[in-house]
Amino acid sequence: GAVVSQHPSRVICKSGTSVKIECRSLDFQATTMFWYRQFPKQSLMLMATSNEGSKATYEQGVEKDKFLINHASLTLSTLTVTSAHPEDSSFYICSASRTGVAGDSYEQYFGPGTRLTVT
Amino acid sequence: AQKVTQAQTEISVVEKEDVTLDCVYETRDTTYYLFWYKQPPSGELVFLIRRNSFDEQNEISGRYSWNFQKSTSSFNFTITASQVVDSAVYFCALSVLPLTGGGNKLTFGTGTQLKVEL
């Protein structure tokens, strides 16, 4: 159990266009989902925390108007990179925390990641 | 604020050697969790272990073992008899409960690239 999927796994888009990445918890409900960005040979950087039914909380330095996050249901969160530029090219990873499972509140289940290339 | 330090950027070993990956953490919280993840070239994070701050028992899982010492704020990871398939980036991470709610943020270390050669 506790499987998280991401779609697409890879995407190439042209500069100036927008791209949406989906994160789904397949077999559990996730009140909270997280979005990370990872540049080559670097660590994961938390971009934002997404709570179902409310606005996302963005980390300092992350442009909320550029990285739109929607968590409309307990199993789906989306990240939209608006007006993408080459510097947005990165590996985006989502994770989800399981809801209502005793002793599981510290656990995050990670998706396989989405590699975004902006040309 | 939380901080995780993985001082070893890259380690190269020959197959069958033992290798220890270091992790030092900082937090003022008394309740926290520590994690290790493996990230192979495919990019997907593989969960290895979770340890809470009240459990200092060392753990062994096959060729993997973990040494948690609160006195030195360290949570080191040892691979015994390393294999080529162990080649990956390994991340140590720390999680505490946020005061204002909204999810348990993970703070990652910078990772250690392990290369196991024949």
Side-chain angles (χ1 to χ4, degrees):
Chain A
V3 178
V4 176
S5 70
Q6 274 185 250
H7 178 80
S9 57
R10 288 178 179 271
V11 58
I12 300 173
C13 70
K14 291 187 176 180
S15 188
T17 62
S18 296
V19 60
K20 180 186 286 187
I21 302 170
E22 292 186 349
C23 176
R24 291 181 186 274
S25 56
L26 299 184
D27 52 1
F28 66 99
Q29 293 187 329
T31 304
T32 304
M33 289 184 170
F34 302 86
W35 288 96
Y36 297 85
R37 181 165 60 179
Q38 185 181 30
F39 291 110
K41 298 190 182 298
Q42 294 189 24
S43 188
L44 282 76
M45 183 196 79
L46 179 66
M47 299 175 66
T49 302
S50 167
N51 290 294
E52 188 266 337
S54 63
K55 290 184 178 180
T57 303
Y58 291 82
E59 295 299 301
Q60 194 171 11
V62 177
E63 301 174 60
K64 58 182 68 176
D65 293 332
K66 181 168 186 60
F67 299 99
L68 301 179
I69 292 172
N70 184 282
H71 193 159
S73 77
L74 284 172
T75 59
L76 173 64
S77 177
T78 60
L79 167 68
T80 301
V81 183
T82 62
S83 187
H85 292 286
E87 57 266 30
D88 298 324
S89 298
S90 188
F91 191 55
Y92 292 87
I93 305 173
C94 75
S95 70
S97 290
R98 222 159 31 169
T99 303
V101 177
D104 209 23
S105 58
Y106 288 87
E107 191 68 66
Q108 288 187 28
Y109 300 93
F110 286 86
T114 297
R115 197 165 299 280
L116 169 64
T117 303
V118 184
T119 61
Chain B
Q2 282 62 243
K3 185 178 180 181
V4 177
T5 301
Q6 294 180 256
Q8 304 150 307
T9 305
E10 187 171 317
I11 301 176
S12 290
V13 298
V14 176
E15 203 175 38
K16 297 185 183 177
E17 284 185 1
D18 298 347
V19 59
T20 296
L21 309 182
D22 298 332
C23 173
V24 175
Y25 63 93
E26 295 177 31
T27 179
R28 292 185 177 181
D29 288 68
T30 56
T31 302
Y32 53 88
Y33 277 81
L34 294 163
F35 301 81
W36 275 96
Y37 293 91
K38 174 182 180 180
Q39 188 177 42
S42 65
E44 184 165 0
L45 281 176
V46 177
F47 167 81
L48 296 178
I49 190 172
R50 177 183 71 185
R51 171 67 79 225
N52 74 55
S53 52
F54 300 107
D55 183 2
E56 284 193 75
Q57 280 193 340
N58 292 331
E59 180 153 339
I60 298 174
S61 176
R63 297 185 296 108
Y64 296 168
S65 62
W66 291 269
N67 185 323
F68 176 28
Q69 293 196 351
K70 288 179 75 171
S71 60
T72 56
S73 298
S74 65
F75 187 42
N76 296 337
F77 172 33
T78 297
I79 301 175
T80 303
S82 60
Q83 300 176 2
V84 172
V85 293
D86 296 327
S87 297
V89 180
Y90 291 85
F91 290 99
C92 180
L94 168 70
S95 176
V96 301
L97 272 180
L99 293 176
T100 55
N104 47 306
K105 294 183 182 181
L106 270 175
T107 300
F108 283 87
T110 50
T112 297
Q113 170 78 62
L114 174 64
K115 294 183 178 179
V116 182
E117 299 166 333
L118 291 171

